[in-house]
Amino acid sequence: VATPDEINRAVATEETGHGVCAICQDNIVNSSARIRHCGHRYHRHCLTTWLAMSVRCPVCRHDIRQQDIRQQDIQASQTSSHTE
């Protein structure tokens, strides 16, 4: 399960919505939630509910935590190179 911080870092809110939510299959008419890594869009409620059960994008199965892991690795390597 993704933490609220992981979800906030992985998901962007967009004021304009278009397309179909892959979770509920209804049209996205107003605002949408977009997973930053892959760009897939959903209704915010649908995506929040989904991410309470899974850490993967419903369409491409990308683990939303991977960006955080890569970012932590980069920060750790930068910190260790500055201390040497």
Side-chain angles (χ1 to χ4, degrees):
V1 177
T3 66
D5 285 341
E6 289 169 331
I7 293 170
N8 287 335
R9 284 190 293 271
V11 176
T13 299
E14 298 194 346
E15 295 303 317
T16 57
H18 60 281
V20 175
C21 175
I23 298 170
C24 72
Q25 301 297 305
D26 284 340
N27 287 328
I28 300 172
V29 189
N30 295 318
S31 65
S32 63
R34 177 180 55 84
I35 296 178
R36 295 177 197 273
H37 174 80
C38 57
H40 292 120
R41 289 182 170 81
Y42 310 92
H43 295 118
R44 173 154 293 276
H45 173 74
C46 293
L47 187 57
T48 302
T49 302
W50 179 273
L51 293 174
M53 298 179 291
S54 175
V55 295
R56 298 189 179 278
C57 171
V59 173
C60 68
R61 310 304 290 162
H62 170 76
D63 186 331
I64 66 162
R65 300 170 300 173
Q66 284 182 341
Q67 181 65 29
D68 291 339
I69 292 167
R70 273 189 247 132
Q71 194 65 26
Q72 290 169 1
D73 290 344
I74 291 168
Q75 290 172 347
S77 68
Q78 289 174 344
T79 303
S80 65
S81 66
H82 288 291
T83 57
E84 293 175 359

